[in-house]
Amino acid sequence: MNARSAVPLSRPGQAARRLAVVALLLATAVGCGDAGGLEGAGSTPTAEGPARLWPELTPASSPAFEIGEVNTEVIKGVKVPGDDIRRVNPVSIVRAEIDRNPGDYDGPKAPYRDTKREMADCAKGPGHGKCPVLTPYYRDLTGDGHDDLTLGFPLLPGKTTAVRVYTVEKHRLVQVMGWEDALSGVELAGRSLVIRSPSEVAGYEYRLQWTWDRDQRAMLLTHDEMLRTGPRKPARHPSASSLTGSSSGSPTGSPTGIPPGSPTGSPAPSSSASPSVSPSASGG
């Protein structure tokens, strides 16, 4: 038996169904198009590969600065009844942080003295009166099937806000992310926390995203972007004289419009758009 005879033959019913599908597709194509020809999508930009700069440099083997990429801490003195983080009082978590950092909160010259003073108004819980503890949000960010806690409180009298994420490990409350900044928005998206902060550049903002990493057992800063929020200014096209020189023949710049000595390998502009996410977690 040769190789061709080893292939099973199609049944008559299957062949008939295939012919019917082909006929239907041809009829649809004729009915939908008026010209029936292919249309061009326009010119395709030339692909440019990355330009590697200074290949003679020895690659660094250690970071130059300590920025605390992995920020975890067991919160002592705060118990988790039944390993249920929803049963932990968010006010007690903030009080525990204040007690651990007296230099930041105690005394008339402490940078966050007003936060501790207004904690006296937290008897009814977050969001009541002048209590600085913001409404807590619960969502499973670690993927273990249990809710985790996202908590925030302003650092008064300044304009920054502390954002923390807590989980439960081995019956203990563990902080797995901490950040302080001026906030323009905070969002939960999947297993990520997104913080938007104003920039000193008009029309732009910073967008920082933390995502749970199961190897480090922490929320890691996985994206750090500067994005436009305002309308773009109209493009200004350079005049011919600025590129080719003045009418007298004396060049006012280089023929290519690039100053002498400038690098020619410029990075391509980013075309990625920021995904729209919203804090869909339920408040505690």
Side-chain angles (χ1 to χ4, degrees):
M1 181 170 60
N2 55 30
R4 181 181 298 274
S5 62
V7 180
L9 300 176
S10 299
R11 296 180 182 178
Q14 292 176 334
R17 285 194 294 269
R18 291 171 183 166
L19 291 175
V21 171
V22 172
L24 178 61
L25 292 175
L26 290 175
T28 303
V30 173
C32 293
D34 51 354
L38 298 177
E39 295 183 2
S43 60
T44 302
T46 304
E48 295 183 5
R52 184 183 178 188
L53 307 184
W54 307 301
E56 69 276 8
L57 292 180
T58 302
S61 59
S62 61
F65 306 101
E66 180 67 31
I67 60 176
E69 291 93 340
V70 180
N71 189 348
T72 62
E73 181 181 4
V74 176
I75 308 302
K76 298 180 180 180
V78 179
K79 297 183 178 180
V80 186
D83 289 346
D84 185 359
I85 202 168
R86 286 179 173 265
R87 298 176 63 183
V88 180
N89 184 0
V91 173
S92 66
I93 298 176
V94 178
R95 291 190 188 279
E97 177 165 336
I98 292 175
D99 292 340
R100 292 194 309 272
N101 302 276
D104 292 335
Y105 297 93
D106 288 342
K109 295 184 179 180
Y112 311 138
R113 57 191 179 275
D114 288 351
T115 297
K116 181 177 181 179
R117 179 175 55 82
E118 294 190 1
M119 289 293 293
D121 205 21
C122 291
K124 295 183 179 180
H128 292 83
K130 293 184 178 181
C131 180
V133 183
L134 303 177
T135 301
Y137 284 84
Y138 299 89
R139 177 181 288 193
D140 180 11
L141 296 174
T142 62
D144 62 357
H146 301 282
D147 282 337
D148 303 298
L149 168 63
T150 300
L151 194 60
F153 55 96
L155 300 174
L156 304 172
K159 297 181 179 180
T160 60
T161 300
V163 179
R164 308 283 189 258
V165 175
Y166 302 91
T167 190
V168 178
E169 290 185 357
K170 299 179 180 179
H171 316 295
R172 302 176 302 177
L173 184 69
V174 180
Q175 178 182 308
V176 294
M177 177 268 179
W179 190 254
E180 298 89 32
D181 206 343
L183 305 182
S184 56
V186 182
E187 301 163 348
L188 290 173
R191 293 180 183 173
S192 296
L193 175 73
V194 181
I195 294 179
R196 294 185 291 109
S197 300
S199 166
E200 66 274 11
V201 181
Y204 289 83
E205 72 174 8
Y206 294 108
R207 182 180 184 273
L208 309 179
Q209 177 176 325
W210 281 264
T211 305
W212 173 254
D213 186 277
R214 63 180 182 180
D215 294 327
Q216 298 298 326
R217 307 297 299 171
M219 303 283 287
L220 299 185
L221 180 58
T222 52
H223 291 83
D224 185 349
E225 302 174 293
M226 186 176 187
L227 302 176
R228 174 177 285 278
T229 58
R232 291 186 177 275
K233 296 180 180 180
R236 295 181 179 179
H237 299 284
S239 62
S241 61
S242 65
L243 297 178
T244 60
S246 62
S247 58
S248 61
S250 299
T252 58
S254 63
T256 60
I258 301 176
S262 297
T264 58
S266 59
S270 174
S271 60
S272 62
S274 171
S276 175
V277 294
S278 60
S280 57
S282 59

